[in-house]
Amino acid sequence: MTRIIFVGATGTDSGKTYVTVMLLHQLQDQGYRVRAVKPVISGFDPDDIGPSDSGLLLAAMGRDVTLANITTISPWRYRPILPPHLAAQQQGQPIIVDQVVDFCQEHAGQELDFLLVEGVGGIMTPLNYRATTLDLMVR
């Protein structure tokens, strides 16, 4: 059974990606089968994917940092540097929390020991007008 670790924090630029990358390395070094996902990302520049949170996670997993691979771990990508609910609204691509939960559960259903789920913003960051990152964590 896959154990899920949700990496959340108080806000943006607080070290979520750093912690997720370190956990990836530690668990891989111990022989565990581990994968990380960051389902929702705002401030994503498709022309500069290497230093993005998703790009750093792919590199830590030893996967090629390509837009196609980023799509597999971060399907809800928004260019505006805004809270995700506003970025999603601006792009006309709302975040439906049930779909994000399903996405995470599909990854957890793969033959893994650990799935690391990196949140977006802080745990009270709105994903839409009814749900926050905390709601995603609970589910």
Side-chain angles (χ1 to χ4, degrees):
M1 178 177 193
T2 302
R3 291 171 274 189
I4 299 172
I5 298 173
F6 194 99
V7 180
T10 57
T12 300
D13 291 330
S14 55
K16 293 182 300 292
T17 302
Y18 176 81
V19 169
T20 306
V21 166
M22 290 298 110
L23 282 171
L24 272 167
H25 288 306
Q26 290 295 316
L27 291 168
Q28 290 168 341
D29 288 350
Q30 294 177 37
Y32 289 108
R33 298 167 298 166
V34 59
R35 175 174 294 153
V37 296
K38 182 174 178 83
V40 179
I41 183 170
S42 58
F44 179 78
D45 181 353
D47 297 321
D48 192 22
I49 60 178
S52 71
D53 293 351
S54 304
L56 294 171
L57 295 179
L58 284 172
M61 290 186 285
R63 296 178 61 194
D64 291 335
V65 181
T66 64
L67 191 54
N69 281 342
I70 283 179
T71 300
T72 67
I73 67 166
S74 298
W76 291 270
R77 297 175 312 284
Y78 304 99
R79 184 181 281 265
I81 303 172
L82 294 170
H85 71 297
L86 297 176
Q89 181 180 353
Q90 195 174 81
Q91 282 189 208
Q93 300 169 330
I95 299 169
I96 300 169
V97 175
D98 287 343
Q99 292 175 351
V100 180
V101 170
D102 290 345
F103 168 80
C104 293
Q105 288 175 340
E106 286 172 19
H107 279 274
Q110 298 175 10
E111 295 183 13
L112 299 173
D113 296 308
F114 290 94
L115 175 67
L116 307 178
V117 179
E118 182 181 332
V120 59
I123 62 169
M124 294 308 294
T125 296
L127 297 175
N128 57 40
Y129 287 98
R130 285 179 261 138
T132 66
T133 298
L134 180 60
D135 295 307
L136 175 61
M137 286 174 61
V138 169
R139 303 241 347 249

